[in-house]
Amino acid sequence: QVQLVESGGGLVQAGGSLRLSCAASGRTFSSRVMGWFRQAPGKEREFVASISWSVGSTYWASYAEFVKGRFTISGDNAKNTVYLQMNSLKPEDTAVYYCAAAAKLVRSSSRDDYDYWGRGTQVTVSS
């Protein structure tokens, strides 16, 4: 089992920045695939970004179109942690942000391909 714990959410004004962190513990993988999803009230959970990396190498990073150029995903192998740097935040970015991890090396934006999930952290962007 893999346990994921998100942190870094909060309230920020439009145009501001936040950095989310997701610490993984338990069973870990030498090559990791982790992602961020978000869910706004009344909406389905949607893909935000994902990354695959190993020691010293980032294999790929993928982003949803609506965050390209504003959000950056990165991983720290030594800390078993993945980050989501969010800049130029908009009110429509308001949601609960979830960290997810895949047991297989898949490049996917589908929730079904992720096996482990955190409990989420709230991000609220005021106008």
Side-chain angles (χ1 to χ4, degrees):
Q1 288 291 329
V2 175
Q3 292 78 43
L4 304 174
V5 179
E6 304 97 333
S7 61
L11 173 64
V12 64
Q13 289 188 333
S17 298
L18 283 174
R19 188 176 82 154
L20 305 183
S21 299
C22 174
S25 61
R27 179 185 177 188
T28 56
F29 310 96
S30 60
S31 296
R32 294 171 173 80
V33 175
M34 296 184 72
W36 289 95
F37 289 73
R38 71 184 188 185
Q39 188 167 17
K43 296 187 177 181
E44 291 193 355
R45 193 171 299 188
E46 63 182 356
F47 171 77
V48 175
S50 64
I51 187 170
S52 175
W53 88 100
S54 184
V55 178
S57 299
T58 296
Y59 298 141
W60 45 257
S62 296
Y63 298 92
E65 282 297 324
F66 54 78
V67 301
K68 281 185 178 179
R70 300 190 298 127
F71 292 9
T72 302
I73 189 170
S74 62
D76 186 325
N77 193 72
K79 296 182 179 180
N80 290 330
T81 299
V82 65
Y83 303 97
L84 186 68
Q85 178 66 44
M86 306 186 295
N87 299 328
S88 303
L89 283 161
K90 305 175 182 180
E92 50 264 45
D93 294 318
T94 295
V96 177
Y97 283 70
Y98 296 91
C99 176
K104 297 180 180 178
L105 192 62
V106 290
R107 186 170 189 171
S108 174
S109 59
S110 171
R111 292 173 295 174
D112 294 340
D113 288 322
Y114 291 83
D115 304 281
Y116 307 100
W117 293 84
R119 293 188 174 185
T121 184
Q122 176 70 47
V123 172
T124 303
V125 184
S126 62
S127 58

